[in-house]
Amino acid sequence: MIVRVLGSAAGGGVPQWNCGCYNCGEARGGRAPRRTQSSLAVSVDGERWLLLNCSPDIAAQIEAFVPLHPRPPRGTPIGGMLFTDANIDHIGGLAVLRQRGPHSFVLRSSSLVRAIAKAQTAFAPFAVAPHSWLEVPLSGFCPPTAEANDIVGDALSVRAISVPGTTPGYDGRR
Ligand SMILES: [Zn+2]
């Protein structure tokens, strides 16, 4: 299995646009590495990729990793995404990927995360065809789909584990 760390920073990244702390200053000055917001890309064959969360930095993260570059004339080796939560840090990249193409994504999350995302205008288009947004079973493995680009349940086994937490600030931190 190939795992690529696309980003490793918390929400906002380093430097964060409104932060003047020591770490952000060092990153601005080129004395410390800049870091984009946390996300992983996972593949089995190097051809089909699953994103674990999709941060608002996704466009730069794709450009920085050649295996995620589009195939001509349009297309993407990204077949699916798995969201751990509905925080903007982890789901906001969908708004960046809104341009239509011949591709479709298989998205997976808990039913609550899906419901929160569907209520947002920027994310709702990803819950309808040609995409599919599937509920992750919390007591078993994700089943396969018929999508050729989707590696979950086919080449890769995914099992979700429920952990405590609240919904994002834009959803009222329920
Ligand atoms: Zn800072």
Side-chain angles (χ1 to χ4, degrees):
M1 183 167 70
I2 307 164
V3 177
R4 167 78 175 196
V5 178
L6 299 176
S8 59
V14 179
Q16 181 173 296
W17 71 276
N18 62 351
C19 187
C21 78
Y22 176 81
N23 288 339
C24 289
E26 290 294 286
R28 284 191 185 93
R31 295 177 296 277
R34 291 173 171 260
R35 295 165 60 200
T36 57
Q37 295 167 88
S38 61
S39 177
L40 297 178
V42 178
S43 180
V44 175
D45 56 11
E47 299 293 327
R48 301 177 299 165
W49 291 84
L50 170 74
L51 299 187
L52 303 183
N53 291 324
C54 183
S55 91
D57 295 321
I58 186 61
Q61 292 170 339
I62 288 172
E63 293 306 319
F65 186 47
V66 171
L68 293 186
H69 286 184
R71 310 296 193 250
R74 277 200 177 200
T76 177
I78 300 170
M81 300 172 204
L82 181 68
F83 299 115
T84 57
D85 54 67
N87 286 307
I88 292 295
D89 319 345
H90 288 155
I91 206 169
L94 284 178
V96 177
L97 304 181
R98 67 193 180 282
Q99 287 82 10
R100 289 191 182 199
H103 53 270
S104 59
F105 294 123
V106 177
L107 311 179
R108 290 180 172 85
S109 72
S110 69
S111 58
L112 177 59
V113 167
R114 182 177 61 185
I116 293 169
K118 282 177 68 175
Q120 302 299 316
T121 303
F123 308 144
F126 291 91
V128 297
H131 310 292
S132 53
W133 197 319
L134 309 177
E135 179 180 344
V136 171
L138 292 180
S139 57
F141 289 93
C142 292
T145 68
E147 297 289 334
N149 255 2
D150 184 29
I151 62 174
V152 175
D154 172 16
L156 188 72
S157 296
V158 172
R159 186 163 66 100
I161 301 170
S162 182
V163 294
T166 65
T167 65
Y170 69 83
D171 187 61
R173 299 197 189 287
R174 294 182 285 141

